[in-house]
Amino acid sequence: MRVLENKRVAFLATDGVEEIEYTEPREAVEKAGAMVELLSPKPGQIQAVQGMDKSKTYPVERPVKQASPDDYDALVIPGGVANPDKLRMDPDSVRFVRAMFDAGKPVAAICHGPWMLVEADVVDGRTVTSYPSLKRDLTNAGAQWVDEQVHVDRGLVTSRKPDDLPAFCDKVIEEIAEGIHRR
């Protein structure tokens, strides 16, 4: 199934990314035919984690400050507690997320990844899910929070945790295949 042939997908992550929340969605969209690039504010490589323990490192394919939203059809933001907490302190990462959202391109975030959506100021009036500890942050930013395996709101795909990855990956592929969404 190559439904994402000729699609380019950016994954935005840095040190502290939850490994399976990066590797499993990346593998799924690549198997569906997409070309994927790992963007990060940090050049070289990033340190993934499994829970709180260091895992493998992954090569950064492009610094986010050199990435143009025009070059991508979609964005995926993996979780891990430290990953989005560090990313939301990087103005280039926040601008990239906002620009992808403003362009109507599919944006997906899992677990703690929706913190980036709060920082980019794109959740007001949206229905989203996330790791439960982000509920107050998301509702304070104007979102309606739901406790669901995966939720889609006009091209914005959110999910709660690694156990939800199969449903998350399916919806990510579906939304990327659909293309631009009116926000």
Side-chain angles (χ1 to χ4, degrees):
M1 169 172 98
R2 312 245 337 137
V3 297
L4 301 183
E5 196 75 42
N6 300 319
K7 299 281 188 180
R8 291 180 49 108
V9 180
F11 275 69
L12 179 60
T14 193
D15 291 335
V17 65
E18 184 66 40
E19 185 171 43
I20 196 166
E21 293 175 1
Y22 166 62
T23 58
E24 196 166 307
R26 181 173 179 147
E27 182 180 320
V29 297
E30 286 177 334
K31 281 185 178 177
M35 295 169 284
V36 175
E37 279 192 331
L38 174 59
L39 309 181
S40 182
K42 178 184 178 223
Q45 57 187 358
I46 61 169
Q47 177 66 60
V49 296
Q50 291 181 358
M52 300 302 280
D53 299 322
K54 287 183 179 180
S55 184
K56 296 179 183 174
T57 58
Y58 293 90
V60 172
E61 289 148 323
R62 186 182 295 194
V64 70
K65 68 182 174 187
Q66 295 174 7
S68 169
D70 295 338
D71 293 340
Y72 302 96
D73 298 293
L75 170 64
V76 178
I77 307 165
V81 177
N83 178 53
D85 196 46
K86 290 176 184 178
L87 289 174
R88 66 188 184 151
M89 299 300 294
D90 178 61
D92 293 318
S93 295
V94 175
R95 274 193 295 275
F96 188 83
V97 171
R98 178 68 197 216
M100 291 293 287
F101 193 88
D102 286 347
K105 296 180 179 182
V107 174
I110 187 169
C111 197
H112 288 79
W115 260 341
M116 280 301 289
L117 305 175
V118 171
E119 197 65 35
D121 197 25
V122 298
V123 295
D124 191 19
R126 299 266 169 199
T127 301
V128 299
T129 192
S130 68
Y131 195 76
S133 65
L134 275 65
K135 178 180 179 178
R136 184 175 301 258
D137 294 336
L138 287 158
T139 57
N140 285 344
Q144 178 182 342
W145 189 87
V146 293
D147 185 13
E148 297 176 2
Q149 193 175 41
V150 64
H151 191 85
V152 180
D153 185 331
R154 294 168 281 162
L156 175 59
V157 181
T158 52
S159 202
R160 302 174 302 189
K161 57 189 176 185
D163 290 347
D164 300 334
L165 278 165
F168 178 71
C169 292
D170 287 347
K171 285 296 181 185
V172 167
I173 290 167
E174 181 180 317
E175 293 304 305
I176 296 169
E178 287 178 9
I180 300 291
H181 290 74
R182 299 275 183 235
R183 304 266 197 227

